[in-house]
Amino acid sequence: MIENNVPHVGSPVRIVVVGAGNRARTYMHYVKANPGKAKLVAVVEPDKVRRDFLADQFGIPEEMRFCNCKEVFSLPRLAEAAVICSPEKLHYDHCMLAIEAGYHILLEKPIAQTLQECEEIARKADEKRLRVSVCHVLRHHPLFAKIKELIDSGKYGDIISISHMEEVGIDRYTHSFVRGTMNRERDNNPMLLAKCCHDLDFLLWIVDARCRKVSSFGSLRWFREENAPAGSALRCVDCQVEGECPYSAIDLYKRRRDWIGSFIPAPGEMIDDVIDRELKEGRFGRCVYRCDNDVVDNQVVAIEMDNGMLISLIINAFTQCDCRNIEIKMTLGEISCYGDMIKARHFRSREISAFDFSHLGKIPHHGGADMAVIGNFIDSLLNPELPLISPLKMAIESHHVIFEAERSRHTGKTIKFKTND
Ligand SMILES: NC(=O)c1ccc[n+]([C@@H]2O[C@H](COP(=O)([O-])OP(=O)(O)OC[C@H]3O[C@@H](n4cnc5c(N)ncnc54)[C@H](O)[C@@H]3O)[C@@H](O)[C@H]2O)c1
């Protein structure tokens, strides 16, 4: 899909990055590796340590380091593109400011927090003839692209139904959605939007149909104070049963040293200092049963498409693996994907084709897909004929289904979409 027929942009595409956290640092690996195509010229980040950490790597002068978006987007345009990686609830404001100032945008998911906001961004981008690409990384991942290729080949016929299981992984869940900053709907977003907008986007991308009806159920069932075991305390460091707790912060961060990528040492500090500080007084040392979280830990979404196809999506936090399992039932065969392995079975020939993507586990940045996300955005600016793989308007369609699924979860009603039939 060619999103807004934009004038040619010369290389390298100059970039302003907004929010110098994990995602921005990831995308800037692409910039470092492709100096002929992209150049970081300014960093917007309120946290001085993070701002300087990124800016120093690119030799960004002091006057191009900003604390907030208003400062940078009220200046005459400094660059052609903005890469927006700020916290989710700020995306709408940051995106509108950047579009108003004339920047093409690579926008981290989710787009915004309501359908109206998403549509306003699209209207404004159209008005200014700017491109907005949403970082729906599955579209750029070889495994998910292979599933689409198999479906599009026609060999397996038409899709009858899809069961899609998002296995969040217990470590990711406790880190981000219980202790971390994505743990409250009001402060961030519902789990379905924050985590599973990728899944809904993927599902709508592979099917040639539109949503007719959606229903959803879900709750925060386990990570609540009434489930705290006897002997537990407000923090893992004070807990008498920490040694047997599967959700221990000491085990996760200090012993296994997992999920410490967002712990950034201040100058003169070591990573162990940050881990110890978090365990003693930070949000990541808290008991999982005694946090201020309210996002769901289990949810189901049922969708009927306008051609009768049925889709079920299950989000489950209680999994050791952090992966997606998919079963696609089709008229001439079936395609399944468990973790890294796709199998396609053809009914008449009895042929089974297997595709192993386990080698991608060793490639950083989502198997290289993150580099493809920013690569497609930059290439589409350098060559306006090149379509965006994840254009804003397609992402709005999947966000719409999510907003309605959440409405269903809260009201107990099945939500019907306006369709042509
Ligand atoms: N596409 C994916 O696979 C994927 C994966 C993880 C996160 N994300 C999304 O990426 C975005 C960023 O996530 P992250 O993991 O990098 O988070 P992060 O917390 O590491 O980074 C966000 C940064 O934004 C900064 N910030 C806060 N207020 C700001 C403001 N007013 N202006 C500018 N910057 C501000 C924070 O200080 C922080 O450094 C979120 O929308 C998240 O949902 C996407």
Side-chain angles (χ1 to χ4, degrees):
M1 182 194 227
I2 301 278
E3 171 136 310
N4 291 340
N5 192 10
V6 299
H8 175 260
V9 172
S11 56
V13 176
R14 291 171 303 163
I15 292 173
V16 172
V17 83
V18 177
N22 286 324
R23 298 304 293 166
R25 289 196 297 274
T26 294
Y27 294 128
M28 291 311 111
H29 285 290
Y30 171 92
V31 174
K32 202 160 250 175
N34 294 277
K37 286 190 177 185
K39 182 175 184 205
L40 181 64
V41 298
V43 176
V44 187
E45 164 64 56
D47 181 308
K48 183 168 167 41
V49 174
R50 289 176 174 225
R51 186 168 66 241
D52 290 345
F53 183 80
L54 187 63
D56 286 350
Q57 289 174 40
F58 288 84
I60 306 293
E62 203 51 49
E63 67 275 14
M64 297 295 251
R65 302 179 185 198
F66 300 89
C67 293
N68 67 64
C69 282
K70 284 200 180 120
E71 283 176 39
V72 70
F73 294 130
S74 57
L75 294 173
R77 214 178 61 153
L78 303 173
E80 290 78 32
V83 174
I84 298 184
C85 300
S86 44
E88 302 188 0
K89 64 179 178 179
L90 303 175
H91 288 185
Y92 169 76
D93 286 347
H94 290 174
C95 207
M96 291 298 272
L97 282 170
I99 294 175
E100 187 59 47
Y103 290 77
H104 299 287
I105 305 220
L106 179 63
L107 175 61
E108 253 310 345
K109 49 66 34 178
I111 306 165
Q113 293 180 296
T114 64
L115 181 63
Q116 290 74 9
E117 286 179 349
C118 294
E119 288 173 341
E120 270 179 56
I121 292 174
R123 259 195 306 277
K124 184 67 112 186
D126 281 352
E127 194 185 299
K128 298 267 187 181
R129 292 182 64 219
L130 294 167
R131 281 192 177 170
V132 180
S133 178
V134 180
C135 300
H136 278 314
V137 67
L138 302 188
R139 290 183 181 226
H140 300 267
H141 191 286
L143 177 145
F144 295 94
K146 184 72 191 176
I147 294 174
K148 180 164 170 57
E149 183 192 309
L150 289 168
I151 292 168
D152 290 350
S153 72
K155 179 172 174 181
Y156 302 95
D158 296 332
I159 302 174
I160 298 294
S161 68
I162 305 179
S163 318
H164 182 105
M165 170 93 76
E166 160 67 37
E167 301 206 341
V168 180
I170 196 68
D171 291 344
R172 176 192 289 276
Y173 185 81
T174 56
H175 173 80
S176 301
F177 298 100
V178 179
R179 297 185 175 104
T181 52
M182 297 165 100
N183 71 343
R184 289 176 64 76
E185 290 194 8
R186 203 183 52 220
D187 299 340
N188 193 64
N189 274 314
M191 182 82 182
L192 191 61
L193 185 60
K195 182 73 183 91
C196 294
C197 63
H198 289 310
D199 301 271
L200 256 313
D201 176 75
F202 166 71
L203 290 165
L204 295 198
W205 182 52
I206 59 171
V207 303
D208 187 19
R210 307 198 70 165
C211 183
R212 183 156 63 196
K213 289 185 208 159
V214 64
S215 281
S216 182
F217 304 95
S219 65
L220 173 61
R221 207 173 144 203
W222 183 242
F223 293 105
R224 317 166 67 98
E225 189 158 9
E226 61 263 35
N227 294 321
S232 60
L234 287 177
R235 292 193 162 269
C236 296
V237 286
D238 302 318
C239 177
Q240 291 167 22
V241 290
E242 180 278 323
E244 65 221 47
C245 177
Y247 320 117
S248 160
I250 300 174
D251 185 49
L252 180 62
Y253 303 120
K254 207 171 165 78
R255 291 202 195 103
R256 286 192 277 136
R257 304 183 79 79
D258 263 351
W259 290 95
I260 53 176
S262 55
F263 296 175
I264 298 183
E269 256 191 340
M270 304 298 283
I271 185 69
D272 284 292
D273 300 325
V274 190
I275 296 173
D276 287 339
R277 193 174 60 241
E278 279 298 336
L279 291 176
K280 276 193 209 113
E281 58 200 45
R283 65 183 305 146
F284 293 104
R286 297 180 295 170
C287 170
V288 286
Y289 299 104
R290 295 185 173 85
C291 289
D292 51 349
N293 55 315
D294 66 7
V295 298
V296 301
D297 54 21
N298 69 117
Q299 184 168 3
V300 295
V301 179
I303 300 170
E304 183 186 83
M305 303 302 285
D306 60 1
N307 60 2
M309 180 197 304
L310 300 179
I311 299 177
S312 71
L313 164 66
I314 301 182
I315 313 173
N316 208 329
F318 300 89
T319 63
Q320 188 139 345
C321 289
D322 173 349
C323 65
R324 294 173 165 97
N325 296 329
I326 311 161
E327 294 274 357
I328 304 169
K329 306 300 180 192
M330 304 181 67
T331 49
L332 305 178
E334 57 185 329
I335 299 169
S336 63
C337 172
Y338 284 91
D340 297 326
M341 176 68 86
I342 300 173
K343 280 195 180 153
R345 295 179 169 79
H346 189 251
F347 295 150
R348 179 65 204 233
S349 66
R350 317 299 286 174
E351 176 192 280
I352 302 177
S353 310
F355 306 91
D356 182 357
F357 287 86
S358 51
H359 59 284
L360 292 179
K362 296 190 192 81
I363 301 177
H365 314 310
H366 290 132
D370 293 333
M371 299 304 108
V373 166
I374 179 164
N376 171 249
F377 172 67
I378 296 293
D379 286 344
S380 91
L381 295 181
L382 294 173
N383 173 10
E385 299 301 311
L386 188 78
L388 286 173
I389 291 176
S390 179
L392 177 66
K393 281 174 193 160
M394 284 189 182
I396 291 179
E397 203 174 320
S398 53
H399 277 53
H400 187 185
V401 176
I402 291 169
F403 295 130
E404 297 300 25
E406 281 300 295
R407 187 148 72 94
S408 165
R409 185 169 73 85
H410 287 294
T411 60
K413 291 185 180 149
T414 295
I415 309 297
K416 292 188 181 143
F417 284 66
K418 286 191 192 114
T419 53
N420 296 331
D421 57 14

